Amino acid sequence: MLLDAASLYFRAFYGVPTSVTSPDGRPVNAIRGFLDMTARLVTAHSPDRLVACWDDDWRPAFRVRALPSYKAHRLSPDGGEETPEELGPQVPVLVDVLAAAGLARIGAPGYEADDVIGTLATRARGPVDVVTGDRDLFQLVDDERGVRVLYTARGITDLELVDEAAVTAKYGIPGRAYADFAVLRGDPSDGLPGVAGIGAKTAAALITEFGDLTGIRAAAARAVVPKPPLTAAVLKKLHAGADYLDAAPVVAAVARDIDLPAVEGALPRRPADPGALAALAAAHGLESSLRRLGAALGWPEDTLS
């Protein structure tokens, strides 16, 4: 099980009231929500291994070079990611809690959590569940290899299982074609403008007919007599968007071969540092959430005592 950590703690922040606070009054809603969600996931799906995948770089330079609009709408005045004031201080605490609990966490300099997830999913020798609220990761679904997405469609409790059939049913495209679909249609959440004038229906028809973006562009290049779905109007739009289509795939495609150390991810049968975990629990009012997590992981009942 691979957790898209930032997606989940943002979702937890907005799904759990900021009135959930530590003993000294600081919000801990994102931490509590993340831990509670992890406990529910372990209980419901019994993974053998679990890894929290981190955004070491939420807006990697190689993607910005390719497409300067990439996530530009989420930039704060200081050049970082625009983050709610009450969320920022919770993230380092969550890092400490995960370390003390013994739950694996990994990121990679210059890459997003998506790329970490893509690489670990590609390396995996068995089935993989990717937990995320980010549709970009739909491109990883692979029925043959048992890779699926548990999509946090609403809040932090309602999970939608996404496999290849679900992608096809929702978007009318082959199950693994989501990245090319997003390039063509656009994705405002990431600052992908899409090809002007090409919407979801046309993008799906093109991908269904020609397989992928490479096939679409090859067909457009050799088209002599326009015919659906490569009508004269669509051909004109594809040609006008050629520079964008040259750049966007590297932005939309999840990396699957980045340099990552081996990560075991075995579920901890007891905390890595019980004393530190107990101190964090007391300082931040996390006792109930950590007890639920401990119960899911099979920890002794007196772990936080």
Side-chain angles (χ1 to χ4, degrees):
M1 180 169 282
L2 303 175
L3 307 182
D4 182 358
S7 171
L8 298 189
Y9 63 64
F10 266 95
R11 188 62 59 103
F13 177 81
Y14 289 111
V16 179
T18 53
S19 57
V20 175
T21 60
S22 65
D24 62 4
R26 291 172 294 172
V28 291
N29 55 323
I31 304 169
R32 290 271 300 270
F34 187 100
L35 296 175
D36 287 345
M37 177 181 283
T38 302
R40 284 193 294 270
L41 287 164
V42 171
T43 299
H45 299 282
S46 302
D48 295 318
R49 297 188 295 153
L50 185 143
V51 182
C53 302
W54 223 254
D55 274 333
D56 276 12
D57 192 337
W58 71 281
R59 191 171 182 254
F62 74 93
R63 290 193 168 104
V64 176
R65 282 194 300 269
L67 197 68
S69 66
Y70 182 61
K71 294 186 177 179
H73 61 295
R74 288 156 58 180
L75 280 168
S76 64
D78 65 3
E81 183 178 16
E82 196 164 41
T83 303
E85 183 178 350
E86 294 139 315
L87 172 59
Q90 297 187 56
V91 178
V93 177
L94 178 59
V95 170
D96 291 343
V97 170
L98 293 175
L103 290 168
R105 183 184 71 87
I106 188 170
Y111 291 95
E112 300 176 60
D114 288 11
D115 304 308
V116 175
I117 290 169
T119 298
L120 293 178
T122 300
R123 284 184 188 177
R125 296 180 180 178
V128 176
D129 282 346
V130 175
V131 188
T132 184
D134 186 350
R135 289 172 297 184
D136 290 347
L137 290 168
F138 289 179
Q139 66 189 271
L140 296 178
V141 297
D142 186 333
D143 289 353
E144 185 177 340
R145 297 188 58 244
V147 179
R148 61 184 188 172
V149 169
L150 302 179
Y151 181 59
T152 56
R154 290 169 291 277
I156 62 172
T157 58
D158 189 2
L159 294 178
E160 177 184 332
L161 194 155
V162 179
D163 55 10
E164 291 189 48
V167 174
T168 300
K170 189 171 182 66
Y171 300 107
I173 57 176
R176 305 178 202 176
Y178 187 82
D180 286 348
F181 176 74
V183 167
L184 287 166
R185 180 200 60 177
D187 186 347
S189 68
D190 280 341
L192 279 175
V195 176
I198 294 202
K201 186 175 179 180
T202 301
L206 290 168
I207 290 171
T208 299
E209 180 70 20
F210 301 107
D212 58 19
L213 194 55
T214 299
I216 293 167
R217 300 193 75 186
R222 65 175 181 266
V224 177
V225 180
K227 61 180 181 178
L230 272 179
T231 63
V234 170
L235 282 169
K236 183 176 180 180
K237 292 167 184 173
L238 290 172
H239 292 317
D243 288 346
Y244 163 75
L245 289 172
D246 287 341
V250 73
V251 175
V254 170
R256 303 184 189 217
D257 59 354
I258 63 176
D259 185 17
L260 285 177
V263 54
E264 177 55 37
L267 298 183
R269 294 309 171 192
R270 57 183 62 249
D273 190 335
L277 191 64
L280 287 163
H284 300 284
L286 306 176
E287 291 93 345
S288 59
S289 290
L290 284 171
R291 287 195 183 96
R292 285 189 285 272
L293 179 62
L297 294 169
W299 290 353
E301 290 187 8
D302 61 351
T303 294
L304 296 179
S305 299

